Amino acid sequence: MMSSAAEVRAGGRDRTRYLYPAVVAAVVAGIVVGLAAPGVAVELKPVGTGFVNLIKMMISPVIFCTIVLGIGSVTKAAKVGRVGGLALGYFLAMSTVALGIGLLVGNLIEPGAGLHLTGALAKSGHAQAAAGEAVGTADFLLGIVPTTLFSALTEGKVLQTLLVALLAGFALQAMGAAGAPVLRGVGHLQKLVFRIMAMIMWLAPVGAFGAIAAVVGATGTAALKSLAMIMAGFYLTCALFVAVVLGLLLRLAAGVSIFALLRYLGREFLLILSTSSSESALPRLIAKMEHLGVSRPVVGITVPTGYSFNLDGTAIYLTMASIFVSEALDRPMPLGQQLSLLVFMVIASKGAAGVTGAGLATLAGGLQSHRPELVDGVGLIVGIDRFMSEARALTNFAGNAVATVLIGHWTGGLDRDRLTRVLAGGLPFDETTLVDAHAGTAVPPQPDAPAAERTSA
């Protein structure tokens, strides 16, 4: 594997450099087909759906292997608790900041002023509300517990997989040396899972073509013109949040450039842009964060948890979309009511990050439970939700990448020398395996762990 990785880094056998230009070409071709032959383009939707389903098929195995290896390779449970507690506190703080920014921008630009709801859109809004039934707190908590130990890995529910992986990781940690063979087995399983992911990625151009063609064929361009303000405002707000808020935090707290980090994750952003789902890039984010120099325990805890609880883009979207709907129906909400409704919706969206359309269902379900008379307005943004979901997914992904680096820095789980080399381009990521050569063993010595911990591991 070492020789293969070396050859790839030398540029001799890295055929993946052709993959992402092909994705860009496929997106352009999908737009052309969608505009030229909308009837045909709409029929291509299953092509894009099939590709996203292949990616989602791998999410549970990736999360399970990553968390089990991350926790099992740490000798002290206190470190896991420290990383997890810090991560959850950070996620809550940043979601609150994102919520506040969305409220501020939404009330400043008043995106829904002057719009009127048609009968067809009202019908569409009711359909979305039916798909977005609110889930009670008790049902949400009970839903985290899987039916069986293995059903969490087969049903594709992120929070259930997270629970089982945590239990398995702590159990192996408690077993000590007796659990080492199992950890090595999980390490080999992780290599298999990432190899399958690398194979699936070759279908990305086909999936991107089908998804983009279908959405352009269904909406066209005329329906988007009257909604340009909310789209532009939302994209601009997300961009400013990432560049200014996350950028300043990353620079001041860890001394890392947000633009260097985003450039390093460029292929992942392109993949998210073509699928509108940040889940499609979750396995690659895990692999690339480890390659960047963030320790395996930090990556294994922060990334999967962030996909359920770090929803910066979704928080901004829910805020602006709610204001848009209320103003479009000439029923503006006072600030206190905005806060009550949006806090509810942010909580209701936990565990749905990265799922295409989850933001729209959450919006409809929240309005149905708090302001039923506003549900009709959801139909106004059905046509552009697909495009807005891309900004949501990109922002959520950027937020999780920044969070992983910051948590690693704050807990001593970040190799600064390696991070500098990787971001400078001196240590390229191995695209053929998605598994870094330095992380080839099930229980690797962590370069950033305390000396006593490295020795015992």
Side-chain angles (χ1 to χ4, degrees):
M1 182 170 142
M2 290 290 290
S3 60
S4 174
E7 289 174 355
V8 169
R9 289 165 186 161
R13 295 175 57 185
D14 184 14
R15 293 186 295 271
T16 61
R17 66 181 183 273
Y18 303 116
L19 176 59
Y20 291 90
V23 172
V24 175
V27 169
V28 174
I31 294 174
V32 172
V33 171
L35 294 175
V40 175
V42 171
E43 298 299 322
L44 296 174
K45 184 178 181 180
V47 176
T49 302
F51 172 71
V52 174
N53 288 344
L54 282 173
I55 297 290
K56 292 169 68 175
M57 173 183 73
M58 305 302 297
I59 297 303
S60 288
V62 167
I63 290 178
F64 178 80
C65 293
T66 302
I67 293 180
V68 170
L69 289 174
I71 295 177
S73 60
V74 179
T75 57
K76 296 180 180 178
K79 181 174 182 179
V80 177
R82 185 169 68 252
V83 171
L86 184 59
L88 288 175
Y90 171 84
F91 296 155
L92 178 61
M94 293 312 297
S95 294
T96 303
V97 171
L99 189 79
I101 291 176
L103 279 175
L104 177 63
V105 175
N107 282 288
L108 285 177
I109 66 175
E110 298 182 341
L115 291 180
H116 302 284
L117 185 65
T118 66
L121 288 173
K123 183 179 179 180
S124 179
H126 282 302
Q128 293 297 328
E133 292 294 334
V135 178
T137 302
D139 292 335
F140 172 77
L141 294 175
L142 290 175
I144 298 177
V145 182
T147 305
T148 69
L149 187 66
F150 298 102
S151 66
L153 304 179
T154 59
E155 294 179 0
K157 295 183 178 179
V158 174
L159 292 181
Q160 291 186 0
T161 304
L162 190 65
L163 175 63
V164 171
L166 287 171
L167 294 174
F170 281 116
L172 287 171
Q173 185 185 78
M175 291 171 64
V182 180
L183 280 177
R184 284 195 292 272
V186 176
H188 292 306
L189 178 62
Q190 185 188 50
K191 290 182 181 180
L192 172 64
V193 168
F194 278 128
R195 176 64 74 172
I196 295 174
M197 275 298 308
M199 295 166 60
I200 292 174
M201 288 309 302
W202 284 101
L203 296 175
V206 179
F209 172 77
I212 295 297
V215 72
V216 173
T219 62
T221 58
L224 303 181
K225 291 180 180 178
S226 64
L227 302 171
M229 180 178 292
I230 187 173
M231 287 183 64
F234 179 60
Y235 269 78
L236 180 61
T237 303
C238 288
L240 290 175
F241 177 80
V242 172
V244 178
V245 178
L246 295 181
L248 281 176
L249 183 59
L250 187 63
R251 170 65 72 179
L252 295 176
V256 178
S257 168
I258 184 69
F259 300 106
L261 181 63
L262 298 182
R263 183 168 60 250
Y264 170 64
L265 297 171
R267 291 188 174 187
E268 288 67 44
F269 283 114
L270 181 58
L271 175 61
I272 293 170
L273 192 64
S274 64
T275 62
S276 268
S277 173
S278 57
E279 266 193 358
S280 61
L282 185 149
R284 291 180 57 89
L285 178 62
I286 290 173
K288 288 195 119 176
M289 287 293 102
E290 287 190 11
H291 177 75
L292 188 64
V294 184
S295 68
R296 176 170 284 171
V298 173
V299 174
I301 296 168
T302 305
V303 173
T305 307
Y307 261 68
S308 290
F309 294 99
N310 193 29
L311 309 174
D312 300 333
T314 304
I316 296 173
Y317 166 81
L318 292 173
T319 306
M320 297 188 66
S322 297
I323 295 175
F324 170 81
V325 168
S326 66
E327 291 180 345
L329 296 176
D330 296 322
R331 297 175 180 176
M333 293 183 289
L335 182 60
Q337 195 171 67
Q338 291 177 24
L339 290 172
S340 174
L341 172 63
L342 298 173
V343 168
F344 168 83
M345 289 195 293
V346 168
I347 294 174
S349 68
K350 300 305 182 187
V355 181
T356 304
L360 190 63
T362 302
L363 173 65
L367 291 175
Q368 176 68 29
S369 62
H370 277 63
R371 290 283 299 272
E373 72 275 13
L374 297 180
V375 175
D376 289 346
V378 176
L380 282 171
I381 58 174
V382 169
I384 61 169
D385 180 74
R386 171 60 164 77
F387 296 97
M388 297 179 74
S389 70
E390 294 170 351
R392 284 200 305 270
L394 291 169
T395 306
N396 288 341
F397 183 82
N400 283 316
V402 170
T404 305
V405 175
L406 289 174
I407 300 300
H409 171 68
W410 288 330
T411 59
L414 178 64
D415 187 338
R416 299 296 306 223
D417 293 336
R418 184 178 182 87
L419 180 141
T420 302
R421 290 175 59 198
V422 170
L423 293 184
L427 198 59
F429 180 71
D430 188 347
E431 294 283 352
T432 61
T433 63
L434 302 188
V435 177
D436 192 47
H438 86 288
T441 58
V443 194
Q446 298 298 333
D448 41 31
E453 227 176 85
R454 292 201 301 267
T455 302
S456 60

